[in-house]
Amino acid sequence: MEEDCCATQLIDAKGQFNAEGLQNFMNKVKLTDCGLSYAVVSIMGPQSSGKSTLMNHLFHTNFREMDAYKGRSQTTKGIWIAKCVGIEPLTVAMDLEGTDGRERGEDDTTFEKQSALFALAISDIVLINMWCHDIGREQAANKPLLKIVFQVMMRLFSPRKTTLLFVIRDKTKTPLEHLEPILREDIQKIWDAVPKPQAHKNTPFDEFFNVVITALSSYEEKEEKFKEEVAQLRQQFFHSISPGGLAGDRRGVVPASGFSFSAQQIWKVIKENKDLDLPAHKIMVATVRCDEISNEKLSRLTSDKGWLELEAAVQAGPVLAFGKRLSSILEAYLSEYDMEAVYFDEGVRNAKRQQLESKALDLVHPAYSTMLGHLRSKALESFKNKLEQSLIKGEGFAASVRTCTGSCMLEFDQGCADATIRQANWDASKVRDKLRRDVDAHASSVRSAKLSEMMANYEKQLALALTEPVESLLEAGQNDAWASIRKLLKRETQVAVSEFSATIAGFELDQATLDKMMQDLRDCARSLVEKKARDDAGKVLIRMKDRFSTVFNHDNDSLPRVWTGKEDIRTITKDARSAALKLLSVMAAVRLDEKPDMIENLLFSSLMDGTLTVPSSQDRSVGAHTDPLASSTWEEVSPKDTLITPVQCKSLWRQFKAETEYTVSQAISAQEAFRKSNNWLPPPWAILAMIVLGFNEFMLLLRNPLYLMVLFIVFLLSKALWVQMDIGGELQHGTLAGLLSISSRFVPTMMNLLRRVAEGAQGRPMPERERPGPSYSLTSQGFRVQTPWPKPDSCTAESSVSSNISSPESGVEYSSTGLMHRRTTNIQEAEFSS
């Protein structure tokens, strides 16, 4: 099937440019893919000179030809283009409207000039069709055409030569060798006669044109000869753009992809009757086309599947070979740009390539930044894990940080190298610096946490080592209490500091920081002692009362003291108060600096040696200024070391005495009770009075033994009732209460006693298990009474004193401990022998 030439009208008779038709033509013949491997051949000549016929035979096109049988008229209107069939490289044939046509009129040469200028601007080869009989004639038909060509050439600022192929039609017998010099001479005359701008005043003709002359036989008379000569001429158009070909000068050629735009812009400039600067036009075409190519590549990159997948993947996490994959995608589109824009102006092409590359890099830079962020996060997390594992293994902190930091930064650098994009020269130093700051911040945080944890552990160790011993020493209140505390503090602090210093050696701290931490540990130990002392100072009153109770209620052997009436309560009280006051003096101030003070002497001289009483109104004005305790500070003791001020000591002592007076009064009462319980005899004067006044009665008893027997029996019964009813114990609860209790129990006890005596007289003693209370055993040898333990008294008095009162003779013991008063009665045995 014969190839289609795709003839298309490019510019109509009214000068309207058919841009859509040109684009369709380029798409059909695939002109866009040719780059610079294409040529444009145009033909000019008088109307009805056989231009279209020549083009159709020469290039196998199908331009419309004149029908000779219908007369001579205008056939080609405007400008037509078609593909030269079978010519390599691709060649575009352009058929121009003939000149000197009657249809446009004699004076209307505007379109002729415009079309000629257009043909010269875009054509590599211009065929000038002329009659052989016009050669050498002054008024030949081709002279106006040549004038037009040379005139419009002056309006072209072209860097290349245009090939003018003169085709002499209907040649005669005159050889071409004779015709060619004449034609060249005519051409030179026309060139010389054409007005030129000052810049080209003396420019030779050969600077603008390459002239080639050929001759063809008459188509009507010698058709076969014509076709043979046309076929020979056709061979010259093969590889016409090669060096030495008809269109060998290819400077300033517009790449095929920009042909459509270039042609439109050239015709626009021509229509506006402006000078056509082809170099500037070439730059403009290159700029527009390179922009179009660049935008098209950027648009395709934006929607590229590989790029979109890579962008989505990097949002989720680090991507292996990120830089290589992204560089490959960018390189593919930049290479496509280079291939399509290779034939445009190099300066424009490179500038637009840089713009494309910059825009493409701007498009992918967020993904690159995200990738660096993932690398930084991954490296930081790796640093944290490695540091933790290293510390678990027991390696030194500073060495671990150095090792893990180096490993972390190396990992980040390797990741950055993998993410590097070949087309970009991006610097990852800012992200690296941020990673380094993050690593240092985490290391500092871990260091602080570890040091704080160690400090807390050693503070806890000091608290365990100091709290209870200090409390024990303060509670004991000995003279050397604070000396022992200082010794304990020094020993435990040295041990803790030594161990702590060895423990933190791996942190490689500077000396100033190390000294500060050691001092903080010493200060902590001191503050623990001071805090414990302040806490115990708040409980000093309780401790004083406990100390007073311990000394007052126990003897030198730490045995409970029994108040028999022989003890010197005043001396014991003084000793107990002295012990309590010594405890107060120990608790009055912190003494960790081995500074001497006079607190103990001042307290004893003011509170023990002197008399602490509330002064009268007359004494206040005189003696107020002499009271050594009327102050809020101690001499030679700083306020921060003061636990109890002198005024507070005075108040505490007053309260202490008030709360311990009851204990002393209880002891005194116990002594009085003991004396009364062990002294049943009346006073001597009473005994003497009884002897003097009862002498007659005593003699009567001696004279009558029966009275003595009755008296003895009454005594036994009274003794039994006394023991059975515990009359002495009941009376100790109070006279009225004792009498009421005795009266309510007298009759039952008396009846029970008589029944037992009667049963004993008959020889039928009551079984042991039936004996509810006291038992009586009456034999010929004697009478035995046994009394059980009495019930505890419900009205027991409470006291802060612990005391014991016992009587060996009566078997009665009084005991009070922890404010409880307890009384016990031993089993009394009485035997009467007959």
Side-chain angles (χ1 to χ4, degrees):
M1 183 177 179
E2 188 176 355
E3 186 178 355
D4 186 10
C5 67
C6 305
T8 303
Q9 187 176 33
L10 181 62
I11 300 173
D12 62 15
K14 296 180 180 181
Q16 298 297 320
F17 193 93
N18 184 12
E20 182 178 356
L22 176 59
Q23 191 62 46
N24 293 333
F25 170 80
M26 292 178 62
N27 293 335
K28 288 180 181 179
V29 303
K30 299 181 180 179
L31 178 60
T32 308
D33 301 334
C34 293
L36 295 178
S37 297
Y38 76 100
V40 179
V41 178
S42 60
I43 188 167
M44 293 186 294
Q47 180 178 306
S48 303
S49 62
K51 300 187 299 298
S52 300
T53 302
L54 176 61
M55 296 293 278
N56 290 338
H57 283 83
L58 186 60
F59 300 118
H60 298 173
T61 57
N62 58 0
F63 293 125
R64 183 183 175 189
E65 300 179 9
M66 184 190 71
D67 189 354
Y69 294 101
K70 294 181 180 180
R72 304 180 68 85
S73 63
Q74 187 182 46
T75 304
T76 303
K77 296 181 180 181
I79 300 175
W80 288 69
I81 59 173
K83 176 184 177 183
C84 298
V85 178
I87 301 296
E88 290 294 336
L90 190 148
T91 302
V92 177
M94 188 163 62
D95 189 10
L96 274 67
E97 179 180 320
T99 61
D100 196 21
R102 65 181 178 84
E103 286 80 5
R104 290 193 177 269
E106 184 177 352
D107 298 326
D108 190 4
T109 60
T110 302
F111 186 79
E112 294 177 2
K113 293 181 179 180
Q114 290 176 346
S115 60
L117 180 59
F118 181 75
L120 287 173
I122 68 174
S123 300
D124 298 290
I125 304 169
V126 178
L127 276 66
I128 298 179
N129 198 38
M130 62 184 301
W131 300 111
C132 180
H133 56 76
D134 284 338
I135 299 176
R137 295 170 59 187
E138 187 64 29
Q139 300 297 325
N142 64 335
K143 283 191 176 182
L145 175 62
L146 291 177
K147 289 181 180 180
I148 291 174
V149 171
F150 296 158
Q151 286 174 358
V152 299
M153 196 64 190
M154 296 296 99
R155 296 176 59 187
L156 288 178
F157 299 95
S158 176
R160 66 169 179 164
K161 294 181 181 180
T162 301
T163 299
L164 298 180
L165 177 57
F166 287 86
V167 180
I168 302 175
R169 303 292 296 274
D170 298 345
K171 67 179 181 178
T172 62
K173 294 181 180 180
T174 304
L176 180 62
E177 292 81 6
H178 295 165
L179 295 175
E180 184 173 350
I182 299 172
L183 180 58
R184 288 184 180 274
E185 184 179 353
D186 291 342
I187 292 172
Q188 185 64 45
K189 289 179 180 180
I190 296 172
W191 171 257
D192 294 338
V194 171
K196 305 176 186 65
Q198 189 65 32
H200 298 290
K201 200 72 175 177
N202 299 317
T203 303
F205 177 80
D206 294 340
E207 290 288 331
F208 288 91
F209 301 102
N210 290 324
V211 176
V212 178
I213 302 174
T214 187
L216 296 176
S217 300
S218 173
Y219 174 69
E220 295 178 354
E221 297 175 0
K222 302 176 181 179
E223 182 176 354
E224 294 300 327
K225 183 67 173 176
F226 172 82
K227 290 181 178 180
E228 181 181 345
E229 292 171 348
V230 168
Q232 293 176 0
L233 179 62
R234 175 183 171 87
Q235 296 300 317
Q236 297 184 40
F237 288 93
F238 282 88
H239 307 291
S240 61
I241 63 174
S242 301
L246 287 177
D249 189 356
R250 302 290 291 169
R251 290 176 298 170
V253 176
V254 176
S257 62
F259 179 79
S260 175
F261 178 78
S262 175
Q264 292 181 59
Q265 294 301 314
I266 289 175
W267 183 249
K268 179 181 178 182
V269 173
I270 292 173
K271 288 286 288 182
E272 293 173 355
N273 198 25
K274 297 179 180 179
D275 291 341
L276 186 61
D277 189 348
L278 288 184
H281 171 76
K282 178 185 176 183
I283 298 298
M284 183 267 293
V285 172
T287 301
V288 173
R289 278 300 297 150
C290 289
D291 265 338
E292 291 176 352
I293 297 171
S294 173
N295 293 335
E296 188 262 341
K297 300 308 173 188
L298 185 63
S299 177
R300 286 181 56 197
L301 172 62
T302 305
S303 59
D304 184 82
K305 183 179 179 181
W307 154 243
L308 294 178
E309 291 177 353
L310 186 62
E311 184 182 29
V314 82
Q315 296 299 326
V319 178
L320 188 64
F322 173 82
K324 183 177 180 181
R325 292 171 60 182
L326 187 53
S327 298
S328 177
I329 294 173
L330 294 176
E331 186 63 32
Y333 286 100
L334 291 175
S335 298
E336 290 182 9
Y337 171 86
D338 291 338
M339 291 176 62
E340 294 184 22
V342 65
Y343 302 113
F344 291 102
D345 181 78
E346 181 179 3
V348 174
R349 180 178 73 243
N350 292 338
K352 295 302 177 181
R353 189 186 195 279
Q354 290 179 0
Q355 291 181 10
L356 172 62
E357 186 173 333
S358 176
K359 291 179 180 179
L361 292 177
D362 289 342
L363 176 67
V364 303
H365 187 266
Y368 175 76
S369 299
T370 303
M371 182 66 184
L372 291 186
H374 289 314
L375 293 175
R376 182 184 63 81
S377 300
K378 183 181 178 182
L380 180 60
E381 193 63 29
S382 174
F383 170 78
K384 293 179 180 178
N385 294 334
K386 290 180 180 179
L387 180 60
E388 182 179 359
Q389 294 299 324
S390 180
L391 295 179
I392 291 176
K393 293 179 182 178
E395 298 180 9
F397 183 84
S400 299
V401 169
R402 284 194 297 271
T403 302
C404 296
T405 299
S407 174
C408 160
M409 300 309 294
L410 178 61
E411 178 182 349
F412 178 78
D413 292 339
Q414 291 174 347
C416 287
D418 181 69
T420 299
I421 301 173
R422 293 194 303 271
Q423 293 81 5
N425 189 25
W426 290 329
D427 186 8
S429 60
K430 291 185 178 179
V431 181
R432 193 179 193 278
D433 293 341
K434 188 177 187 308
L435 172 62
R436 188 56 186 259
R437 291 194 299 271
D438 292 342
V439 166
D440 293 341
H442 179 71
S444 178
S445 175
V446 174
R447 181 188 297 108
S448 299
K450 292 292 183 182
L451 291 176
S452 298
E453 181 182 357
M454 291 180 182
M455 181 67 77
N457 290 336
Y458 279 95
E459 288 176 358
K460 185 177 181 181
Q461 176 182 328
L462 283 172
L464 293 175
L466 293 174
T467 302
E468 292 185 359
V470 169
E471 182 178 8
S472 177
L473 290 171
L474 291 176
E475 187 176 0
Q478 300 299 325
N479 291 331
D480 61 345
W482 282 106
S484 301
I485 291 174
R486 287 194 296 270
K487 184 177 179 182
L488 173 68
L489 175 63
K490 183 178 180 180
R491 182 179 70 250
E492 296 298 337
T493 302
Q494 288 179 348
V495 171
V497 167
S498 177
E499 293 180 358
F500 183 72
S501 178
T503 303
I504 65 173
F507 286 83
E508 299 180 7
L509 301 176
D510 57 273
Q511 191 60 40
T513 305
L514 185 62
D515 293 342
K516 183 180 182 299
M517 297 187 73
M518 299 296 104
Q519 188 58 43
D520 290 343
L521 196 58
R522 294 186 184 95
D523 294 341
C524 174
R526 183 184 179 99
S527 65
L528 284 172
V529 175
E530 291 178 351
K531 183 178 182 298
K532 187 60 184 174
R534 293 185 187 280
D535 292 342
D536 286 1
K539 301 180 288 186
V540 67
L541 181 60
I542 299 174
R543 296 279 177 83
M544 290 171 65
K545 290 191 292 184
D546 290 343
R547 177 61 56 85
F548 176 84
S549 177
T550 300
V551 175
F552 188 78
N553 293 320
H554 294 79
D555 58 17
N556 294 333
D557 296 328
S558 299
L559 297 176
R561 196 184 298 278
V562 178
W563 301 107
T564 62
K566 299 178 182 179
E567 295 82 5
D568 186 357
I569 292 181
R570 180 180 296 276
T571 302
I572 294 173
T573 300
K574 185 175 181 179
D575 292 342
R577 288 178 175 174
S578 297
L581 189 59
K582 179 174 286 293
L583 179 62
L584 178 61
S585 68
V586 170
M587 297 299 302
V590 176
R591 301 173 177 88
L592 295 177
D593 297 327
E594 299 187 20
K595 295 180 180 179
D597 60 72
M598 304 298 293
I599 295 177
E600 183 176 352
N601 295 337
L602 184 60
L603 288 177
F604 272 86
S605 63
S606 301
L607 301 179
M608 287 295 296
D609 299 341
T611 57
L612 184 61
T613 59
V614 179
S616 63
S617 59
Q618 293 83 2
D619 297 335
R620 285 196 189 103
S621 60
V622 178
H625 65 281
T626 61
D627 187 358
L629 297 181
S631 174
S632 59
T633 58
W634 300 101
E635 293 184 6
E636 301 178 353
V637 177
S638 64
K640 68 181 183 67
D641 290 335
T642 301
L643 300 178
I644 306 174
T645 63
V647 174
Q648 291 172 339
C649 287
K650 185 176 180 180
S651 176
L652 285 171
W653 183 253
R654 184 182 295 111
Q655 185 177 355
F656 165 76
K657 289 186 67 177
E659 294 182 7
T660 56
E661 282 180 356
Y662 180 73
T663 303
V664 178
S665 64
Q666 285 292 97
I668 295 173
S669 298
Q671 278 191 340
E672 292 297 328
F674 181 83
R675 291 192 188 97
K676 291 178 180 180
S677 65
N678 286 278
N679 190 9
W680 296 94
L681 296 176
W685 60 269
I687 296 175
L688 182 59
M690 289 172 60
I691 293 175
V692 173
L693 297 177
F695 180 76
N696 294 330
E697 288 76 4
F698 179 70
M699 294 303 296
L700 179 61
L701 290 175
L702 289 179
R703 292 192 185 96
N704 193 352
L706 183 60
Y707 290 154
L708 188 61
M709 179 62 68
V710 172
L711 237 130
F712 181 69
I713 292 172
V714 171
F715 170 74
L716 288 179
L717 290 174
S718 300
K719 183 65 174 177
L721 287 172
W722 182 277
V723 174
Q724 180 71 18
M725 299 179 67
D726 191 15
I727 294 175
E730 295 292 344
L731 292 176
Q732 287 184 359
H733 299 159
T735 304
L736 181 59
L739 290 176
L740 291 175
S741 178
I742 292 170
S743 63
S744 64
R745 295 168 55 197
F746 178 75
V747 175
T749 304
M750 188 65 185
M751 295 300 294
N752 188 33
L753 184 60
L754 292 176
R755 186 177 68 253
R756 290 179 180 278
V757 172
E759 290 175 355
Q762 295 176 4
R764 293 183 301 163
M766 188 177 179
E768 289 294 329
R769 59 186 176 86
E770 297 179 2
R771 297 175 184 175
S775 60
Y776 304 91
S777 179
L778 187 60
T779 61
S780 59
Q781 286 79 12
F783 178 72
R784 185 186 186 97
V785 181
Q786 184 175 2
T787 306
W789 293 88
K791 297 180 179 180
D793 185 9
S794 60
C795 300
T796 304
E798 294 185 0
S799 172
S800 61
V801 183
S802 174
S803 62
N804 295 287
I805 306 174
S806 61
S807 174
E809 292 83 3
S810 63
V812 180
E813 178 181 350
Y814 299 90
S815 175
S816 65
T817 304
L819 304 182
M820 295 297 295
H821 180 235
R822 185 188 56 176
R823 177 178 60 83
T824 58
T825 306
N826 295 330
I827 299 175
Q828 301 291 333
E829 295 183 356
E831 295 184 358
F832 303 91
S833 55
S834 56

